[in-house]
Amino acid sequence: MRILDKYILTELLGPFVFGIAAFSSVFIGTSTLFKLAQYISKYGASLLTVTKLFFYSLPGIVVLTLPMSMLLASLLSFGRLSGSSEITAMKSGGLSFYRLTTPVFIIAFAVSIFAVVFNETVVPQSKTAYTTIVRYEIERESRPRSQEHVVIKDVKQGELERLTYARKFDEDTSTMYTITMQEFEKDRLVRVENAEKATWQNGRWVMYNGIIHDMTAEGKIERSMRFVQQTMPVEKPPASISREQKKPDEMTIKELKQHIKALQGEFVTTNNFAVELHQRLSIPMASLVFAMIGTPLGLQPHRSSSSIGLGLSIIIILIYYAVMTVCTALGQGGTLPPVVAAWIPNILGIIVGAIFVRRAAR
């Protein structure tokens, strides 16, 4: 790495860390602390419990602040270099704008990749732990015990062995209604079982009034058999099934794909899960998009002031997330395809950033 690259990255590091701390504080102060105060006042949650909730909420907040921090860092660092005429000196030495921004774009891309990995490994687990504490330690019996569109996954040695869908699940009566169970061998569908309902009796699930279809390797029905009563191979008790159910933002990409596949097989709308799936990549990649926008804007006159840079960052962030919110709603409602809804903000940002970069290079 050349001395110039190290110098630019050093300039970038300080504002980037400051941005993570500043934007995280905004999220914590406007949302997280308010919720924690409600848990204390409404449910009498202990200090230890809300402390755990606070730390479990941090990974999800940090992922959201990474693109914002990248925008602030590129604006402030290049604004300072431009304000002290260091950019002019670098250009007079024969360096192009593209050469000067290369380390910024590389770091922004690396931040995006880190955010994708972090969002896939740490964030779902922390959100699941957060939800578990809220449901079973704070809200307890006040939460609803009946759920719709329940999906149960049985995984053996890293491979999906069984995927069970129930249109309705009632934990109080230990009953599932309108059941479809798919069994797999080496990722190949080998059996499909449908039943009107299943009840938990003597430590096992018993299905009633259903039909079993054995499938060929080509995915066609080989033979069928009806039954009045059949023991279900699922061994999870009602409480375990209830705990296993997750919100879209608590699932990994693999879990989202499995959930979407199960719901699509029952002709249930999956737009919420599909939008979340595509946003697992689009939101982290916003770091690169914001770097493309912030770096050329930092070269504009009067950008050396940190207050102006911070204000400009907030305006750009508000515009981006306003577009993202509208597109998310349209995607979840079915007006836009989920993949289009998830990527429109980034596509618009890339177009704007490319225009700014081209103008700055001139």
Side-chain angles (χ1 to χ4, degrees):
M1 182 182 293
R2 296 185 178 181
I3 296 177
L4 177 64
D5 295 331
K6 291 182 180 180
Y7 182 66
I8 292 176
L9 295 181
T10 301
E11 289 290 328
L12 202 67
L13 180 60
F16 181 71
V17 174
F18 168 77
I20 293 176
F23 291 122
S24 296
S25 299
V26 172
F27 278 105
I28 292 172
T30 57
S31 177
T32 304
L33 293 181
F34 177 74
K35 290 181 180 178
L36 297 182
Q38 278 190 320
Y39 293 144
I40 294 175
S41 60
K42 187 176 180 179
Y43 299 101
S46 66
L47 181 61
L48 176 61
T49 299
V50 295
T51 301
K52 289 191 292 184
L53 290 179
F54 174 79
F55 284 105
Y56 283 138
S57 68
L58 291 181
I61 293 175
V62 170
V63 166
L64 289 176
T65 61
L66 289 177
M68 305 177 187
S69 304
M70 199 68 234
L71 172 64
L72 180 64
S74 57
L75 265 170
L76 293 186
S77 59
F78 269 71
R80 197 206 67 78
L81 293 174
S82 178
S84 59
S85 300
E86 292 183 55
I87 294 294
T88 303
M90 294 175 187
K91 286 185 176 181
S92 64
L95 297 174
S96 67
F97 177 75
Y98 296 112
R99 175 62 185 85
L100 296 177
T101 56
T102 296
V104 179
F105 294 155
I106 292 176
I107 288 298
F109 182 72
V111 170
S112 296
I113 297 300
F114 168 79
V116 171
V117 175
F118 190 76
N119 205 24
E120 176 67 6
T121 56
V122 178
V123 175
Q125 295 184 21
S126 65
K127 288 190 174 182
T128 299
Y130 184 100
T131 301
T132 299
I133 291 176
V134 172
R135 285 180 179 176
Y136 299 99
E137 293 187 24
I138 297 179
E139 294 180 350
R140 296 178 184 173
E141 299 304 322
S142 64
R143 65 181 181 84
R145 300 172 68 86
S146 179
Q147 303 179 56
E148 294 185 351
H149 306 304
V150 170
V151 176
I152 308 166
K153 295 181 284 290
D154 292 303
V155 180
K156 185 176 182 180
Q157 296 179 351
E159 293 186 358
L160 183 64
E161 184 180 44
R162 189 178 301 105
L163 193 62
T164 305
Y165 166 82
R167 187 168 294 274
K168 184 180 179 181
F169 167 67
D170 193 324
E171 186 179 347
D172 288 331
T173 60
S174 301
T175 306
M176 294 188 285
Y177 300 91
T178 314
I179 302 160
T180 298
M181 185 171 62
Q182 300 175 337
E183 296 187 14
F184 300 86
E185 289 182 4
K186 298 181 179 179
D187 292 330
R188 184 178 71 84
L189 180 63
V190 296
R191 190 173 297 105
V192 178
E193 299 184 32
N194 297 299
E196 289 183 4
K197 69 175 184 178
T199 59
W200 181 255
Q201 303 175 17
N202 301 321
R204 62 180 183 174
W205 286 100
V206 179
M207 297 188 294
Y208 296 94
N209 302 325
I211 186 170
I212 301 174
H213 300 293
D214 289 329
M215 312 299 292
T216 65
E218 292 75 25
K220 298 180 179 180
I221 297 177
E222 183 177 19
R223 58 179 174 269
S224 300
M225 181 183 69
R226 293 190 175 275
F227 63 86
V228 176
Q229 183 173 319
Q230 173 82 12
T231 300
M232 198 173 180
V234 177
E235 299 177 355
K236 298 177 181 177
S240 178
I241 292 175
S242 182
R243 284 175 176 268
E244 189 180 274
Q245 303 310 305
K246 298 179 180 179
K247 299 176 183 177
D249 60 352
E250 297 170 0
M251 299 182 186
T252 63
I253 291 177
K254 184 177 181 180
E255 289 174 333
L256 281 168
K257 290 181 178 179
Q258 292 174 346
H259 206 87
I260 291 171
K261 182 179 179 181
L263 294 182
Q264 285 178 339
E266 300 301 319
F267 304 100
V268 178
T269 302
T270 60
N271 291 333
N272 287 1
F273 296 93
V275 171
E276 176 69 26
L277 174 64
H278 294 295
Q279 284 183 339
R280 290 297 176 87
L281 296 179
S282 64
I283 292 179
M285 291 306 295
S287 295
L288 180 59
V289 176
F290 280 163
M292 292 180 62
I293 296 175
T295 303
L297 284 180
L299 300 182
Q300 302 301 313
H302 311 299
R303 292 292 182 264
S304 58
S305 171
S306 58
S307 60
I308 294 177
L310 180 59
L312 191 58
S313 298
I314 293 174
I315 293 173
I316 296 172
I317 290 167
L318 287 176
I319 294 173
Y320 178 88
Y321 282 97
V323 173
M324 187 184 75
T325 300
V326 172
C327 290
T328 299
L330 293 176
Q332 292 177 343
T335 305
L336 289 175
V339 62
V340 175
W343 285 96
I344 278 181
N346 282 3
I347 293 173
L348 295 177
I350 290 173
I351 293 173
V352 173
I355 294 173
F356 286 166
V357 169
R358 184 177 179 183
R359 288 181 178 178
R362 291 179 178 177

